[in-house]
Amino acid sequence: MLSKSQISFIKSLHQKKYRKENGLFLVEGIKSIKEFISSDYRIDTIYYIGEQYQHLPKLPANINLFEVNNAELSKISTLQTPQGFLALVKIPETKTATQKDLKNKFTLILDGIQDPGNMGTIIRTADWFGFENIICSMDTVEAYNPKTVQATMGSLARVNLFYEDLPVLLANNDIPVFGALLEGNSIYKTNWGQEGLVVLGNEGKGISADVIKKINYPVTIPRIGAAESLNVAVSAAIFCTEIVRVKN
């Protein structure tokens, strides 16, 4: 059985403050947990419903296993309907993006994305289209937010996330900077070249003024109908598919 202190500790990880303090985040569902087992992330503990044990793969010896019942899992889960498994995963050390990380490839730059669902969908989309890295502004939603992690469906285990001062980063690189803006060259007529940083802005405010100054190539998705704007995760998918289409 889980003690009250164990339950309290795991529930505290629902909040950013305590994730940061303890260096741990939650992953729920066996499919997503398997992705992290196969990655460079280090899993601390897996909590599981007894009858679900057979779905666990062979685990490294350094992963702790703890059997719980449905009531206990409901208390520690962030989901309305828990999925039988919950893992505590170590938050990796903070890394800084280098020129080597950015050269000869395309990288998504997220400026002030606030919705964890959008964030998770963008990470999952980047993984689908083979984008290795995503660089986020310091005010972009945390990648280890439970809703973000859930929305990535395991893709967080494969995409590198960096949090940077974007104006400084963009000023100190020689890679073309493309920006998703309402006014710009059509995405379908853009010469992408062989590398680039692709900036996507906040859901309501768009790209911040300081970052706009660093954009070399404003790019727009042509509007045919009357909608005022596109969801940022949808925009990310359109940018990814067009870049991959042109490159291939």
Side-chain angles (χ1 to χ4, degrees), residues 182 202-203 221-222 227-236 238-239:
L182 288 176
N202 173 272
E203 290 89 344
I221 300 169
E228 181 183 347
S229 62
L230 275 177
N231 174 276
V232 66
V234 172
S235 296
I238 294 171
F239 271 84

Side-chain angles (χ1 to χ4, degrees), residues 29-88:
I30 189 60
K31 288 184 179 180
S32 291
I33 290 172
K34 282 180 178 179
E35 300 288 1
F36 283 92
I37 292 171
S38 302
S39 75
D40 292 332
Y41 280 83
R42 183 186 159 198
I43 295 180
D44 181 273
T45 306
I46 296 175
Y47 300 88
Y48 68 96
I49 299 295
E51 58 265 29
Q52 299 291 324
Y53 179 81
Q54 71 272 17
H55 297 298
L56 282 167
K58 186 176 181 180
L59 299 174
N62 63 349
I63 296 179
N64 300 307
L65 276 179
F66 202 105
E67 184 177 343
V68 295
N69 58 41
N70 285 301
E72 290 171 325
L73 187 62
S74 293
K75 288 179 181 178
I76 61 176
S77 174
T78 64
L79 305 175
Q80 286 189 337
T81 307
Q83 298 181 3
F85 295 87
L86 182 150
L88 304 187

Side-chain angles (χ1 to χ4, degrees), residues 153-205:
M153 297 294 288
S155 288
L156 179 59
R158 287 184 293 273
V159 178
N160 301 313
L161 271 290
F162 304 90
Y163 283 78
E164 307 270 1
D165 183 324
L166 293 188
V168 172
L169 173 88
L170 298 176
N172 294 330
N173 93 93
D174 58 0
I175 299 171
V177 181
F178 301 86
L181 296 166
L182 288 176
E183 300 295 332
N185 190 46
S186 168
I187 189 173
Y188 306 117
K189 297 179 181 177
T190 296
N191 181 2
W192 294 101
Q194 295 303 309
E195 61 183 7
L197 307 178
V198 182
V199 184
L200 298 157
N202 173 272
E203 290 89 344
K205 301 175 183 177

